[in-house]
Amino acid sequence: MVLKEFRWHGRGGQGAWTASELLARAAIHEGKYIQSFPEFGPERMGAPVKAYTRISDEPIRLHCAVYNPNLAIVMDPTLLATVPVTKGLGENGILIVNTPKEPKTLKEELKMTKGTVWTVSATELAMRILGRAITNTAMLGVVARATEIVEMESIKKAVKDRFPEPLAEKNMGVIKEAYKEANPE
Amino acid sequence: MAKVEQKIVPLNGDNAVAYAVKQCDVDVVAAYPITPQTIIVEKFSEYVADGEVDTAFVCVESEHTAMTCSITASATGARTFTATASAGLALMHEMLGVASGCRTPVVMSVVNRALSAPINIHCDHSDAMCERDIGWIQIYAENSQEAYDSIIQAFKIAENLDVMLPTMVGLDGFVLSHTLENVSILPDDAVKKFVGERQVPQVMNHEGELVPFKLDPAKPLTIGPLDLHDYYFEHKRQQEESMIKALDVIKKVHDEYSKQSGRTYGNGLVEAYRLDDAEIVTVCMGSTAGTVKTVVDELREKGIKAGLLRIRAFRPLPVKDIISNLAGKKAVAVMDRACSFGGNGGPLFHEIRHAVYDVPNRPKLVNYVYGLGGRDMQPHMIETIYNELQKIAQTGQVEETVQFIGLRE
């Protein structure tokens, strides 16, 4: 597998860095090479933040930010109005957005002429299962579905490494549900 | 020693350092947290609190005291570690010279960060470059794996009786310190065996008797007292002698470690990447080397004879290796992640240019200052440098010796 690059958009406190880490940790369980890093800077609750994941079969030597991601993941729909979330996405780029909207509608709104859009009502889903509007694990479920880059079993291991019970179990529920509910266009 | 079984774990650079220190059977850690080094100190204090290490952890009120405490602990024969960054290193400055002058082999990770003002928490090498002449060995890591490996090697280098010099391992702030990467870790017993117990040499005390070189009330000794025009100069000459000996020790420790880990970083002093038939070469230190390697591979696919010389040991400066790798090359760009204001180029440039001065077929040399305050060094900027080098190689002319790249101008 050639290098795959992911850009996570969230707001400070929503767990974008954690999501980027969970994906990397899942991939490392499958013997992949990984990098996960936040857009470096003092963390501020609520401010737009970015985090990145790189996954490859080969050792990763790049030590710069991600400029042309294969995937961009938007954890908070309010970012769409202010953050250029599609920037650098290529011909086969994938955009994953937390929104109740249909992917087709979103694609039109963002004036996207290429690539694929996936949507999921992550906030609603997280409220239903976690009781909190933390959407990072839901988005991870959609990434797994859209890319098949990691097995659900590896995600489970990463989640269990990261969260204590019953939080791990609940988050796995979110991931599995998001995996099922996601819609592509 | 045969290669040992290793475990691959996801660690960021700071946690990789903390883990290495945990395995090195360190007696004393005295440290003060500062971004982006904080994770090291936090993680290590957890190891202490959880009883995973038998280390005295001293919470101090400043970096000046962190270094003072490290020196005094080391002077008792204890294996000692500390960590800092940026302003913390600057505050240590006075005591850094005491550490090297007292021949206390303290190991310190410096998570390289810009100096104030204005305040900036991001990576550049200006903190460590200010300590170039303070008598510390300086080693720079390219990735989190190398940060881990280098810390383990550093204890063995610093404590070698031919060296007895404090050693700092530099890792780029955030770019390495906060980036999760695959890190292969050696088993605890393999590391413990590799670093061994700290040895001290025998010295003559005031009564003419041979005693171990350490502070011990049973065998009193004074370390670092007044030393005027009678002997100061001789002691400084000895420090220089030990620095030169460290060149060999760094290589030997690197080779011995490689046998267990299966990983090499050039010859331990410098790493030559696709240099054999290279005509145009960049020279750099730290994490940027990884990005440069990717660019070199792309240029090679286009038939461009590009190469990289990564300086791993900045002090002592491996002059012979720099000469053997750069002699006969057409054009060389030295990349500096620090500025020497008014010095006509960055510190690494000065060092490389001085190293090749006596070589008859020395290359044309230019300098690029980059990445100050964490400005991202992107692949296209590195390509620009190689493009410029191609022009210099073709024309034999250097238009501008010192340039800044990735800058609004």
Short mmCIF file of all heavy atoms in Angstrom, two decimals, chain B residues 340-396:
data_model
loop_
_atom_site.label_atom_id
_atom_site.label_comp_id
_atom_site.label_asym_id
_atom_site.label_seq_id
_atom_site.Cartn_x
_atom_site.Cartn_y
_atom_site.Cartn_z
N SER B 340 22.66 32.75 12.72
CA SER B 340 23.72 33.38 13.50
C SER B 340 23.72 34.83 13.05
O SER B 340 24.34 35.18 12.05
CB SER B 340 25.07 32.72 13.21
OG SER B 340 26.09 33.42 13.86
N PHE B 341 22.97 35.65 13.76
CA PHE B 341 22.71 37.02 13.30
C PHE B 341 24.00 37.79 13.04
O PHE B 341 24.85 37.90 13.92
CB PHE B 341 21.83 37.76 14.31
CG PHE B 341 20.51 37.07 14.52
CD1 PHE B 341 20.27 36.30 15.65
CD2 PHE B 341 19.51 37.15 13.55
CE1 PHE B 341 19.07 35.64 15.83
CE2 PHE B 341 18.29 36.49 13.72
CZ PHE B 341 18.08 35.74 14.86
N GLY B 342 24.13 38.28 11.83
CA GLY B 342 25.32 39.04 11.46
C GLY B 342 26.53 38.17 11.18
O GLY B 342 27.63 38.67 10.97
N GLY B 343 26.33 36.86 11.16
CA GLY B 343 27.46 35.94 11.01
C GLY B 343 27.66 35.43 9.59
O GLY B 343 28.44 34.51 9.39
N ASN B 344 26.94 36.00 8.63
CA ASN B 344 27.02 35.53 7.24
C ASN B 344 26.76 34.03 7.14
O ASN B 344 27.61 33.25 6.75
CB ASN B 344 28.38 35.88 6.63
CG ASN B 344 28.41 35.58 5.13
OD1 ASN B 344 27.39 35.73 4.44
ND2 ASN B 344 29.54 35.14 4.62
N GLY B 345 25.56 33.64 7.51
CA GLY B 345 25.17 32.23 7.41
C GLY B 345 24.89 31.63 8.77
O GLY B 345 25.24 32.19 9.80
N GLY B 346 24.25 30.47 8.74
CA GLY B 346 23.91 29.76 9.98
C GLY B 346 25.09 28.99 10.53
O GLY B 346 26.09 28.80 9.84
N PRO B 347 24.97 28.54 11.78
CA PRO B 347 26.09 27.85 12.42
C PRO B 347 26.54 26.57 11.71
O PRO B 347 27.74 26.32 11.61
CB PRO B 347 25.56 27.53 13.82
CG PRO B 347 24.12 27.89 13.84
CD PRO B 347 23.84 28.77 12.69
N LEU B 348 25.61 25.78 11.20
CA LEU B 348 26.02 24.54 10.53
C LEU B 348 26.81 24.86 9.25
O LEU B 348 27.79 24.18 8.92
CB LEU B 348 24.79 23.67 10.21
CG LEU B 348 25.09 22.28 9.64
CD1 LEU B 348 25.92 21.44 10.61
CD2 LEU B 348 23.80 21.54 9.29
N PHE B 349 26.39 25.92 8.58
CA PHE B 349 27.10 26.36 7.38
C PHE B 349 28.56 26.70 7.70
O PHE B 349 29.48 26.29 7.01
CB PHE B 349 26.38 27.56 6.76
CG PHE B 349 27.05 28.14 5.54
CD1 PHE B 349 27.24 27.36 4.40
CD2 PHE B 349 27.50 29.46 5.53
CE1 PHE B 349 27.85 27.88 3.27
CE2 PHE B 349 28.11 29.99 4.40
CZ PHE B 349 28.28 29.21 3.27
N HIS B 350 28.73 27.45 8.77
CA HIS B 350 30.10 27.83 9.16
C HIS B 350 30.95 26.58 9.40
O HIS B 350 32.11 26.51 8.99
CB HIS B 350 30.09 28.67 10.45
CG HIS B 350 29.35 29.96 10.28
ND1 HIS B 350 28.77 30.61 11.33
CD2 HIS B 350 29.09 30.71 9.18
CE1 HIS B 350 28.18 31.72 10.89
NE2 HIS B 350 28.36 31.80 9.60
N GLU B 351 30.35 25.61 10.06
CA GLU B 351 31.08 24.39 10.41
C GLU B 351 31.46 23.60 9.16
O GLU B 351 32.58 23.13 9.03
CB GLU B 351 30.19 23.50 11.29
CG GLU B 351 29.68 24.18 12.53
CD GLU B 351 30.65 24.10 13.69
OE1 GLU B 351 31.40 23.12 13.76
OE2 GLU B 351 30.66 25.04 14.51
N ILE B 352 30.51 23.46 8.26
CA ILE B 352 30.76 22.64 7.07
C ILE B 352 31.76 23.35 6.16
O ILE B 352 32.70 22.74 5.63
CB ILE B 352 29.43 22.37 6.30
CG1 ILE B 352 28.42 21.66 7.20
CG2 ILE B 352 29.69 21.58 5.02
CD1 ILE B 352 28.78 20.27 7.66
N ARG B 353 31.60 24.66 6.02
CA ARG B 353 32.50 25.40 5.15
C ARG B 353 33.94 25.34 5.70
O ARG B 353 34.88 25.15 4.97
CB ARG B 353 32.04 26.85 4.99
CG ARG B 353 32.79 27.55 3.87
CD ARG B 353 31.94 28.44 3.02
NE ARG B 353 31.81 29.77 3.58
CZ ARG B 353 31.56 30.85 2.83
NH1 ARG B 353 31.45 30.74 1.52
NH2 ARG B 353 31.42 32.01 3.38
N HIS B 354 34.06 25.43 7.01
CA HIS B 354 35.38 25.37 7.62
C HIS B 354 35.97 23.96 7.43
O HIS B 354 37.15 23.81 7.14
CB HIS B 354 35.30 25.80 9.09
CG HIS B 354 35.77 24.80 10.10
ND1 HIS B 354 37.09 24.46 10.25
CD2 HIS B 354 35.09 24.06 10.99
CE1 HIS B 354 37.20 23.55 11.20
NE2 HIS B 354 36.01 23.28 11.66
N ALA B 355 35.11 22.92 7.54
CA ALA B 355 35.61 21.55 7.43
C ALA B 355 36.19 21.27 6.04
O ALA B 355 37.19 20.57 5.92
CB ALA B 355 34.49 20.56 7.75
N VAL B 356 35.59 21.83 5.01
CA VAL B 356 36.05 21.49 3.65
C VAL B 356 37.06 22.50 3.08
O VAL B 356 37.53 22.34 1.96
CB VAL B 356 34.87 21.32 2.64
CG1 VAL B 356 33.96 20.20 3.09
CG2 VAL B 356 34.10 22.62 2.46
N TYR B 357 37.42 23.51 3.86
CA TYR B 357 38.27 24.57 3.33
C TYR B 357 39.59 24.06 2.76
O TYR B 357 40.04 24.50 1.70
CB TYR B 357 38.56 25.63 4.41
CG TYR B 357 39.44 26.75 3.91
CD1 TYR B 357 38.89 27.75 3.11
CD2 TYR B 357 40.80 26.80 4.21
CE1 TYR B 357 39.68 28.77 2.62
CE2 TYR B 357 41.60 27.82 3.73
CZ TYR B 357 41.03 28.81 2.93
OH TYR B 357 41.82 29.82 2.44
N ASP B 358 40.21 23.10 3.44
CA ASP B 358 41.53 22.61 3.01
C ASP B 358 41.47 21.54 1.92
O ASP B 358 42.51 21.05 1.50
CB ASP B 358 42.30 22.06 4.22
CG ASP B 358 42.73 23.19 5.15
OD1 ASP B 358 43.05 24.29 4.64
OD2 ASP B 358 42.74 22.98 6.37
N VAL B 359 40.27 21.18 1.50
CA VAL B 359 40.15 20.13 0.48
C VAL B 359 40.37 20.77 -0.90
O VAL B 359 39.69 21.74 -1.24
CB VAL B 359 38.75 19.48 0.53
CG1 VAL B 359 38.63 18.37 -0.50
CG2 VAL B 359 38.49 18.94 1.92
N PRO B 360 41.34 20.25 -1.68
CA PRO B 360 41.63 20.88 -2.98
C PRO B 360 40.41 20.89 -3.92
O PRO B 360 40.16 21.87 -4.60
CB PRO B 360 42.74 20.01 -3.57
CG PRO B 360 43.20 19.09 -2.48
CD PRO B 360 42.17 19.07 -1.42
N ASN B 361 39.67 19.79 -3.94
CA ASN B 361 38.51 19.73 -4.84
C ASN B 361 37.21 19.98 -4.08
O ASN B 361 36.24 19.26 -4.21
CB ASN B 361 38.45 18.38 -5.57
CG ASN B 361 38.48 17.21 -4.58
OD1 ASN B 361 38.81 17.39 -3.40
ND2 ASN B 361 38.15 16.02 -5.05
N ARG B 362 37.24 21.02 -3.26
CA ARG B 362 36.05 21.31 -2.45
C ARG B 362 34.90 21.80 -3.33
O ARG B 362 35.12 22.45 -4.36
CB ARG B 362 36.37 22.32 -1.35
CG ARG B 362 36.78 23.67 -1.84
CD ARG B 362 36.90 24.66 -0.66
NE ARG B 362 37.26 25.97 -1.15
CZ ARG B 362 38.50 26.47 -1.08
NH1 ARG B 362 39.48 25.76 -0.56
NH2 ARG B 362 38.75 27.68 -1.54
N PRO B 363 33.67 21.47 -2.90
CA PRO B 363 32.51 21.88 -3.70
C PRO B 363 32.19 23.36 -3.50
O PRO B 363 32.67 23.99 -2.57
CB PRO B 363 31.39 21.02 -3.13
CG PRO B 363 31.81 20.71 -1.73
CD PRO B 363 33.29 20.71 -1.70
N LYS B 364 31.35 23.87 -4.40
CA LYS B 364 30.76 25.20 -4.19
C LYS B 364 29.76 25.05 -3.05
O LYS B 364 29.00 24.08 -3.02
CB LYS B 364 30.02 25.66 -5.45
CG LYS B 364 30.95 25.96 -6.60
CD LYS B 364 31.58 27.33 -6.41
CE LYS B 364 32.60 27.60 -7.52
NZ LYS B 364 33.50 28.72 -7.18
N LEU B 365 29.73 26.01 -2.15
CA LEU B 365 28.85 25.89 -0.98
C LEU B 365 27.89 27.07 -0.85
O LEU B 365 28.30 28.22 -1.01
CB LEU B 365 29.71 25.84 0.29
CG LEU B 365 30.18 24.46 0.71
CD1 LEU B 365 31.58 24.51 1.24
CD2 LEU B 365 29.25 23.90 1.76
N VAL B 366 26.64 26.72 -0.57
CA VAL B 366 25.66 27.77 -0.26
C VAL B 366 24.93 27.40 1.02
O VAL B 366 24.98 26.26 1.47
CB VAL B 366 24.63 27.98 -1.40
CG1 VAL B 366 25.26 28.70 -2.58
CG2 VAL B 366 24.00 26.66 -1.82
N ASN B 367 24.24 28.37 1.57
CA ASN B 367 23.55 28.19 2.84
C ASN B 367 22.08 28.57 2.71
O ASN B 367 21.74 29.58 2.10
CB ASN B 367 24.23 29.08 3.89
CG ASN B 367 23.70 28.87 5.30
OD1 ASN B 367 23.77 29.77 6.13
ND2 ASN B 367 23.19 27.70 5.60
N TYR B 368 21.22 27.73 3.26
CA TYR B 368 19.80 28.05 3.33
C TYR B 368 19.36 28.01 4.79
O TYR B 368 19.47 26.97 5.44
CB TYR B 368 18.97 27.06 2.52
CG TYR B 368 19.06 27.30 1.05
CD1 TYR B 368 20.03 26.66 0.27
CD2 TYR B 368 18.20 28.19 0.42
CE1 TYR B 368 20.13 26.90 -1.09
CE2 TYR B 368 18.28 28.44 -0.94
CZ TYR B 368 19.25 27.79 -1.69
OH TYR B 368 19.34 28.04 -3.03
N VAL B 369 18.90 29.13 5.29
CA VAL B 369 18.30 29.16 6.62
C VAL B 369 16.82 28.84 6.42
O VAL B 369 16.17 29.40 5.53
CB VAL B 369 18.48 30.54 7.28
CG1 VAL B 369 17.75 30.60 8.62
CG2 VAL B 369 19.96 30.85 7.46
N TYR B 370 16.30 27.91 7.21
CA TYR B 370 14.91 27.45 7.00
C TYR B 370 14.24 27.20 8.35
O TYR B 370 14.91 27.06 9.39
CB TYR B 370 14.89 26.16 6.17
CG TYR B 370 15.30 24.92 6.94
CD1 TYR B 370 14.34 24.05 7.48
CD2 TYR B 370 16.63 24.62 7.17
CE1 TYR B 370 14.71 22.92 8.20
CE2 TYR B 370 17.01 23.50 7.89
CZ TYR B 370 16.05 22.65 8.41
OH TYR B 370 16.41 21.55 9.14
N GLY B 371 12.91 27.10 8.30
CA GLY B 371 12.13 26.54 9.40
C GLY B 371 12.23 27.21 10.76
O GLY B 371 11.94 26.57 11.77
N LEU B 372 12.61 28.48 10.80
CA LEU B 372 12.69 29.13 12.12
C LEU B 372 11.30 29.22 12.75
O LEU B 372 10.31 29.51 12.07
CB LEU B 372 13.32 30.52 12.01
CG LEU B 372 14.76 30.59 11.49
CD1 LEU B 372 15.32 32.00 11.67
CD2 LEU B 372 15.68 29.58 12.15
N GLY B 373 11.24 28.97 14.03
CA GLY B 373 9.96 29.08 14.75
C GLY B 373 8.92 28.09 14.28
O GLY B 373 7.72 28.34 14.41
N GLY B 374 9.37 26.97 13.71
CA GLY B 374 8.44 25.91 13.31
C GLY B 374 7.88 26.04 11.91
O GLY B 374 6.99 25.27 11.52
N ARG B 375 8.35 27.02 11.12
CA ARG B 375 7.89 27.12 9.73
C ARG B 375 8.14 25.77 9.05
O ARG B 375 9.26 25.26 9.08
CB ARG B 375 8.66 28.25 9.03
CG ARG B 375 8.34 28.46 7.56
CD ARG B 375 6.93 28.94 7.30
NE ARG B 375 6.48 30.08 8.07
CZ ARG B 375 6.73 31.37 7.77
NH1 ARG B 375 7.42 31.69 6.71
NH2 ARG B 375 6.26 32.34 8.54
N ASP B 376 7.06 25.22 8.47
CA ASP B 376 7.13 23.87 7.92
C ASP B 376 8.06 23.82 6.69
O ASP B 376 7.95 24.66 5.80
CB ASP B 376 5.72 23.41 7.53
CG ASP B 376 5.62 21.91 7.32
OD1 ASP B 376 6.44 21.17 7.91
OD2 ASP B 376 4.72 21.47 6.58
N MET B 377 8.97 22.86 6.68
CA MET B 377 9.86 22.67 5.54
C MET B 377 9.19 21.69 4.59
O MET B 377 9.16 20.49 4.85
CB MET B 377 11.22 22.15 6.02
CG MET B 377 12.28 22.10 4.95
SD MET B 377 12.56 23.72 4.20
CE MET B 377 14.09 23.42 3.34
N GLN B 378 8.64 22.22 3.52
CA GLN B 378 7.86 21.40 2.61
C GLN B 378 8.73 20.83 1.50
O GLN B 378 9.73 21.45 1.11
CB GLN B 378 6.73 22.25 2.00
CG GLN B 378 5.83 22.87 3.04
CD GLN B 378 4.77 23.76 2.42
OE1 GLN B 378 4.28 23.49 1.34
NE2 GLN B 378 4.42 24.82 3.11
N PRO B 379 8.33 19.67 0.96
CA PRO B 379 9.13 19.04 -0.09
C PRO B 379 9.47 19.98 -1.25
O PRO B 379 10.58 19.96 -1.75
CB PRO B 379 8.25 17.88 -0.54
CG PRO B 379 7.43 17.53 0.67
CD PRO B 379 7.18 18.83 1.38
N HIS B 380 8.52 20.83 -1.65
CA HIS B 380 8.80 21.70 -2.81
C HIS B 380 9.91 22.71 -2.52
O HIS B 380 10.63 23.15 -3.42
CB HIS B 380 7.51 22.38 -3.32
CG HIS B 380 7.02 23.49 -2.46
ND1 HIS B 380 7.49 24.77 -2.57
CD2 HIS B 380 6.09 23.50 -1.47
CE1 HIS B 380 6.86 25.54 -1.69
NE2 HIS B 380 6.01 24.78 -1.02
N MET B 381 10.07 23.07 -1.26
CA MET B 381 11.15 24.00 -0.90
C MET B 381 12.50 23.30 -1.04
O MET B 381 13.49 23.90 -1.48
CB MET B 381 11.00 24.49 0.54
CG MET B 381 9.73 25.27 0.81
SD MET B 381 9.60 25.59 2.59
CE MET B 381 7.96 26.25 2.67
N ILE B 382 12.53 22.03 -0.66
CA ILE B 382 13.76 21.26 -0.78
C ILE B 382 14.11 21.08 -2.25
O ILE B 382 15.27 21.17 -2.65
CB ILE B 382 13.62 19.91 -0.04
CG1 ILE B 382 13.36 20.17 1.45
CG2 ILE B 382 14.85 19.03 -0.23
CD1 ILE B 382 12.83 18.98 2.22
N GLU B 383 13.07 20.86 -3.06
CA GLU B 383 13.29 20.75 -4.51
C GLU B 383 13.90 22.03 -5.07
O GLU B 383 14.79 21.98 -5.92
CB GLU B 383 11.94 20.50 -5.20
CG GLU B 383 11.70 19.04 -5.50
CD GLU B 383 10.38 18.87 -6.24
OE1 GLU B 383 10.27 19.28 -7.42
OE2 GLU B 383 9.46 18.37 -5.59
N THR B 384 13.40 23.17 -4.58
CA THR B 384 13.93 24.46 -5.01
C THR B 384 15.43 24.54 -4.74
O THR B 384 16.21 25.02 -5.56
CB THR B 384 13.21 25.62 -4.27
OG1 THR B 384 11.82 25.49 -4.49
CG2 THR B 384 13.69 26.98 -4.72
N ILE B 385 15.82 24.05 -3.56
CA ILE B 385 17.25 24.08 -3.21
C ILE B 385 18.06 23.23 -4.20
O ILE B 385 19.09 23.67 -4.70
CB ILE B 385 17.45 23.60 -1.75
CG1 ILE B 385 16.79 24.59 -0.79
CG2 ILE B 385 18.93 23.42 -1.44
CD1 ILE B 385 16.84 24.19 0.68
N TYR B 386 17.56 22.03 -4.48
CA TYR B 386 18.28 21.17 -5.43
C TYR B 386 18.32 21.79 -6.83
O TYR B 386 19.32 21.66 -7.54
CB TYR B 386 17.67 19.76 -5.47
CG TYR B 386 18.14 18.88 -4.32
CD1 TYR B 386 17.29 18.55 -3.27
CD2 TYR B 386 19.45 18.39 -4.27
CE1 TYR B 386 17.71 17.75 -2.21
CE2 TYR B 386 19.88 17.59 -3.21
CZ TYR B 386 19.01 17.28 -2.19
OH TYR B 386 19.44 16.50 -1.15
N ASN B 387 17.24 22.49 -7.21
CA ASN B 387 17.24 23.18 -8.51
C ASN B 387 18.35 24.22 -8.56
O ASN B 387 19.06 24.36 -9.55
CB ASN B 387 15.89 23.86 -8.78
CG ASN B 387 14.81 22.84 -9.06
OD1 ASN B 387 15.11 21.68 -9.39
ND2 ASN B 387 13.57 23.24 -8.92
N GLU B 388 18.46 24.98 -7.47
CA GLU B 388 19.51 26.01 -7.39
C GLU B 388 20.89 25.36 -7.46
O GLU B 388 21.80 25.88 -8.11
CB GLU B 388 19.37 26.82 -6.09
CG GLU B 388 18.18 27.76 -6.08
CD GLU B 388 18.26 28.83 -7.17
OE1 GLU B 388 19.34 29.44 -7.32
OE2 GLU B 388 17.25 29.02 -7.88
N LEU B 389 21.02 24.22 -6.78
CA LEU B 389 22.31 23.51 -6.79
C LEU B 389 22.67 23.05 -8.19
O LEU B 389 23.84 23.07 -8.59
CB LEU B 389 22.28 22.32 -5.83
CG LEU B 389 22.32 22.64 -4.34
CD1 LEU B 389 22.22 21.35 -3.51
CD2 LEU B 389 23.59 23.40 -3.95
N GLN B 390 21.67 22.62 -8.94
CA GLN B 390 21.93 22.20 -10.33
C GLN B 390 22.50 23.35 -11.15
O GLN B 390 23.44 23.17 -11.91
CB GLN B 390 20.63 21.70 -10.97
CG GLN B 390 20.39 20.23 -10.73
CD GLN B 390 19.27 19.70 -11.59
OE1 GLN B 390 18.15 20.21 -11.51
NE2 GLN B 390 19.56 18.73 -12.43
N LYS B 391 21.91 24.53 -10.93
CA LYS B 391 22.40 25.72 -11.65
C LYS B 391 23.84 26.01 -11.28
O LYS B 391 24.69 26.29 -12.13
CB LYS B 391 21.53 26.95 -11.29
CG LYS B 391 20.27 27.05 -12.12
CD LYS B 391 19.56 28.37 -11.81
CE LYS B 391 18.05 28.18 -11.84
NZ LYS B 391 17.33 29.20 -11.11
N ILE B 392 24.13 25.92 -9.99
CA ILE B 392 25.50 26.19 -9.52
C ILE B 392 26.46 25.16 -10.09
O ILE B 392 27.57 25.49 -10.54
CB ILE B 392 25.55 26.22 -7.97
CG1 ILE B 392 24.72 27.38 -7.43
CG2 ILE B 392 26.99 26.33 -7.47
CD1 ILE B 392 24.46 27.33 -5.94
N ALA B 393 26.02 23.89 -10.10
CA ALA B 393 26.87 22.82 -10.63
C ALA B 393 27.18 23.05 -12.11
O ALA B 393 28.30 22.81 -12.58
CB ALA B 393 26.19 21.47 -10.43
N GLN B 394 26.17 23.55 -12.84
CA GLN B 394 26.37 23.78 -14.28
C GLN B 394 27.26 24.99 -14.56
O GLN B 394 28.12 24.95 -15.42
CB GLN B 394 25.00 23.99 -14.97
CG GLN B 394 24.30 22.67 -15.27
CD GLN B 394 22.79 22.85 -15.42
OE1 GLN B 394 22.28 23.96 -15.54
NE2 GLN B 394 22.07 21.73 -15.39
N THR B 395 27.03 26.07 -13.82
CA THR B 395 27.74 27.31 -14.12
C THR B 395 29.01 27.50 -13.30
O THR B 395 29.89 28.27 -13.67
CB THR B 395 26.84 28.53 -13.85
OG1 THR B 395 26.50 28.51 -12.44
CG2 THR B 395 25.56 28.48 -14.66
N GLY B 396 29.09 26.81 -12.18
CA GLY B 396 30.22 27.01 -11.27
C GLY B 396 30.15 28.35 -10.56
O GLY B 396 31.10 28.78 -9.92
#
